[in-house]
DNA sequence: GTCTATACGATGATAGAC
DNA sequence: GTCTATCATCGTATAGAC
């Protein structure tokens, strides 16, 4: 019970954390490549160089692994657009949509999960509920700021515009997954923003 | 080989057809309620009052059953809006979106499948590819007609408007599945149409 | 043609030894 | 922390009764 007997916190914990990161890396890669349902825990475990049971020692179930992958996705997404702090709202959105085209597997994963998770009791349901709430609040604030700047077209409701941008974005990405050559996601988003904003 | 020896076509075939309809009914109900992946063939078979093996005598695999359910969906959808032949394009879309709110399970099924089917080799992929192509052509033609009538706002591309309506529609339905009380799907669609159309 | 019974490989999950 | 062993359930396939 003395302090000397207590293991150093950076020891085993660091290894466990590293092991978790390693698993998430492989799960992220496989989920993005083949999809969530098509990837088995044994596949992920083998890719990470361990047994399936050992993987489940770090992640209680496939659901928990899925949530970890989604969290990883958000981290990576934040780094997609370095140095656009001063960029305008519409430029930010269009640029982000453009950047998404470089990770189709990730978009596919996100789209499928967003639809799957509508089911009551789905492990990722809370994730998407929170995400939509955050996006709705952020975008509504942006459109309200634009209205104060006199750049929002008369008669346009900021909240409805925010809902429209989010819904249109997800819908257009789905279309893009089917026919990437026939759909220009960022251009379609830009067209809506140009319709709703002035000068 | 004579005509007299040939069995009456309405006999066994009629029973088979009825059996198929019965299976589709239950599959439709379960898929809408719990989703495609979460519903097993054994569940569907039990609900239809038969063994799983017998179900597979009528439908070679789960994929074939899925396509039959999708076809059933289109039949039901056609009857959702009786007598709107003379309705305008925007009224038709808004009314259809409104009608969809009465069948949430159906919307959930459609949304999940639309995302799932982006995967290469998914049984429903061709269904959605065809559907999107048809909708894109129909809506583009509608917007072009509106432009000829002088009702399309200057600078709006009919094809992009068509893509936007389809994408926005699917995206807004997804949002509606999460928070039905917070999202007014038909009002959001109407807002876009009012933005892009005049008088 | 219609149906039941049975078995196969793969999956997500769990228990317990070391 | 890592493993082997085991389990119920999944989609699928086949054999055979009526």
């Amino acid at each position: 019970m003395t302090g000397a007997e207590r293991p150093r916190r950076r020891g085993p914990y660091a290894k466990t954390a590293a092991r978790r990161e390693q698993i998430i890396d492989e799960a992220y890669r496989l989920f993005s490549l083949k999809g969530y349902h098509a990837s088995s825990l044994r596949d992920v475990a083998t890719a990470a160089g361990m047994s399936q049971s050992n993987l489940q020692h770090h992640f209680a179930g496939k659901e928990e692994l899925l949530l970890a992958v989604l969290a990883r996705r958000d981290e990576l997404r934040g780094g997609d657009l370095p140095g656009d702090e001063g960029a305008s709202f519409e430029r930010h959105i269009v640029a982000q949509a453009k950047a998404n085209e470089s990770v189709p597997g990730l978009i596919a994963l996100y789209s499928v999960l967003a639809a799957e998770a509508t089911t009551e009791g789905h492990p990722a349901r809370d994730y998407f509920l929170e995400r939509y709430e955050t996006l709705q609040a952020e975008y509504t604030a942006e459109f309200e700021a634009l209205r104060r700047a006199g750049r929002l077209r008369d008669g346009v409701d900021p909240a409805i515009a925010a809902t429209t941008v989010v819904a249109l974005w997800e819908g257009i990405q789905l279309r893009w997954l089917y026919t990437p050559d026939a759909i220009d996601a960022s251009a379609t988003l830009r067209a809506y923003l140009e319709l709703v904003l002035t000068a």
Side-chain angles (χ1 to χ4, degrees), chain A:
Chain A
M1 276 297 200
T2 70
E5 292 175 4
R6 192 176 48 200
R8 289 191 311 143
R9 298 170 77 182
R10 299 294 296 266
Y13 291 106
K15 185 174 182 184
T16 293
R19 216 63 166 124
R20 279 180 61 100
E21 292 303 304
Q22 181 184 3
I23 294 170
I24 294 175
D25 281 344
E26 295 300 332
Y28 184 91
R29 190 177 61 83
L30 287 177
F31 286 177
S32 301
L33 195 68
K34 310 194 305 173
Y36 175 65
H37 277 111
S39 307
S40 73
L41 290 180
R42 285 171 175 85
D43 289 340
V44 177
T46 300
M50 70 186 66
S51 71
Q52 180 241 358
S53 299
N54 189 19
L55 185 153
Q56 290 197 262
H57 172 261
H58 294 279
F59 296 93
K62 197 180 184 183
E63 303 180 348
E64 197 176 311
L65 181 56
L66 168 61
L67 293 180
V69 169
L70 284 177
R72 163 66 51 87
R73 171 187 176 275
D74 288 339
E75 295 171 17
L76 296 180
R77 239 177 68 97
D80 272 347
L81 296 173
D84 72 332
E85 301 282 340
S88 67
F89 176 54
E90 57 263 46
R91 290 179 72 89
H92 173 80
I93 287 185
V94 172
Q96 181 76 59
K98 198 77 184 171
N100 281 354
E101 294 180 8
S102 62
V103 284
L106 195 50
I107 302 304
L109 171 64
Y110 177 85
S111 298
V112 175
L113 286 181
E116 258 184 18
T118 57
T119 310
E120 197 82 30
H122 193 284
R125 180 179 163 87
D126 286 345
Y127 169 87
F128 283 102
L129 276 174
E130 273 185 46
R131 175 176 172 76
Y132 287 135
E133 199 169 350
T134 301
L135 284 177
Q136 180 73 34
E138 282 181 8
Y139 289 2
T140 299
E142 290 280 358
F143 278 116
E144 282 172 347
L146 286 165
R147 183 172 59 178
R148 283 194 297 273
R151 292 199 51 217
L152 193 63
R153 184 184 294 275
D154 282 347
V156 174
D157 183 283
I160 290 184
T163 304
T164 300
V165 167
V166 175
L168 175 59
W169 196 338
E170 300 210 340
I172 200 67
Q173 279 189 337
L174 190 66
R175 285 289 302 276
W176 177 78
L177 286 173
Y178 278 101
T179 50
D181 296 336
I183 298 290
D184 190 335
S186 57
T188 307
L189 273 171
R190 192 189 313 119
Y192 173 75
L193 290 172
E194 287 175 356
L195 201 61
V196 87
L197 297 178
T198 59

